[in-house]
Amino acid sequence: MRKIIVLEHISLDGVIQAPGGPDEDTSDGFAYGGWAAPYDDDILGAALQKQMNMPFDLLLGRKTFDIWAAYWPQHADVWPGVNTATKYVASNTMTSHEWQPSVFLNGDIAEKITKIKQQEGPDLHVSGSANLVQTLMKHDLVDAFWLMILPVTLGGEKRLFAEGTITAAFKVTESTVTSKGVIIVHYERAGAIPTGSL
């Protein structure tokens, strides 16, 4: 079975909106686009390169797909795999696009993604896609979070854990801290929540 892995730049207060650039996503008046750029260093770059070079397909919300489709086809030299990966796009309005290969999902998104997980193929990577991530978590479809936690608070609207999520335990499978204080951490599902007394 394929895993769904959520990969996000995230602020200390949980914001995942527009880490890449000033005009990436200004919805709800968000004025801090590009907040991740000042924290780039060789360690973070190596971690991102490792993720970019592994086998994957993409699972994207429509807004993130629009942003990426306008950028990545012209930057294939930076990330060749993003253009050849199958892009599964959750959208009730879009049915086709020139950026291929792309598959558009509408209707019962959770059910369709559950079926895609059961198919043969590489793991499904989700980046950005704040609304889609909420749907995935609500339906217990996320197998891992690969987070880059930046030492900044933003107060924005689009947060990783914006709505109630299911209760679940996770284990850390990989972690490091960059020279600029970014915590790179991989959390994998680890069954039920353990309880006890302190």
Side-chain angles (χ1 to χ4, degrees), residues 3 12 16 31 33 47 49 64 72 90-91 97 112 121 138 151 181 185 194:
K3 290 183 179 179
L12 287 177
I16 59 173
Q49 197 65 48
T64 299
W72 284 115
S91 174
H97 196 278
K112 290 180 178 177
K138 178 181 175 184
V185 61

Side-chain angles (χ1 to χ4, degrees), residues 5 24-25 32 34 45 52 93 97 99 101 110 120 131-132 143 158 161:
I5 302 170
E24 185 177 1
D25 180 0
Y32 303 104
M52 292 162 73
T93 57
H97 196 278
W99 193 28
E120 291 294 319
N131 294 333
L132 174 60
D143 299 290
K158 295 185 179 178
F161 300 105

Side-chain angles (χ1 to χ4, degrees), residues 130-173:
N131 294 333
L132 174 60
V133 169
Q134 302 309 309
T135 299
L136 296 173
M137 290 190 292
K138 178 181 175 184
H139 292 278
D140 195 14
L141 291 170
V142 176
D143 299 290
F145 291 99
W146 292 358
L147 305 179
M148 291 157 278
I149 305 168
L150 282 75
V152 61
T153 55
L154 297 167
E157 293 295 320
K158 295 185 179 178
R159 298 172 187 273
L160 180 57
F161 300 105
E163 300 174 8
T165 63
I166 63 161
T167 56
F170 291 84
K171 62 182 178 181
V172 174
T173 57

Side-chain angles (χ1 to χ4, degrees), residues 30-193:
F30 189 71
Y32 303 104
W35 52 271
Y39 296 94
D40 191 24
D41 70 1
D42 290 344
I43 298 170
L44 185 60
L48 289 170
Q49 197 65 48
K50 180 179 175 183
Q51 291 172 2
M52 292 162 73
N53 288 337
M54 61 180 43
F56 66 92
D57 281 338
L58 290 168
L59 184 54
L60 301 170
R62 187 199 51 80
K63 290 179 182 176
T64 299
F65 177 83
D66 286 344
I67 293 166
W68 286 26
Y71 181 83
W72 284 115
Q74 288 76 44
H75 297 86
D77 56 321
V78 177
W79 189 13
V82 74
N83 291 315
T84 57
T86 299
K87 292 156 279 287
Y88 296 95
V89 185
S91 174
N92 287 318
T93 57
M94 187 179 288
T95 57
S96 65
H97 196 278
E98 61 188 31
W99 193 28
Q100 292 294 321
S102 297
V103 177
F104 294 88
L105 311 173
N106 58 28
D108 190 337
I109 299 296
E111 180 183 353
K112 290 180 178 177
I113 291 172
T114 298
K115 289 179 180 175
I116 292 168
K117 278 188 73 171
Q118 294 167 351
Q119 298 170 358
E120 291 294 319
D123 289 339
L124 299 159
H125 288 188
V126 187
S127 292
S129 308
N131 294 333
L132 174 60
V133 169
Q134 302 309 309
T135 299
L136 296 173
M137 290 190 292
K138 178 181 175 184
H139 292 278
D140 195 14
L141 291 170
V142 176
D143 299 290
F145 291 99
W146 292 358
L147 305 179
M148 291 157 278
I149 305 168
L150 282 75
V152 61
T153 55
L154 297 167
E157 293 295 320
K158 295 185 179 178
R159 298 172 187 273
L160 180 57
F161 300 105
E163 300 174 8
T165 63
I166 63 161
T167 56
F170 291 84
K171 62 182 178 181
V172 174
T173 57
E174 188 175 323
S175 67
T176 190
V177 180
T178 74
S179 66
K180 296 188 178 182
V182 177
I183 301 169
I184 303 170
V185 61
H186 292 188
Y187 293 104
E188 306 277 343
R189 284 294 295 270
I193 299 275

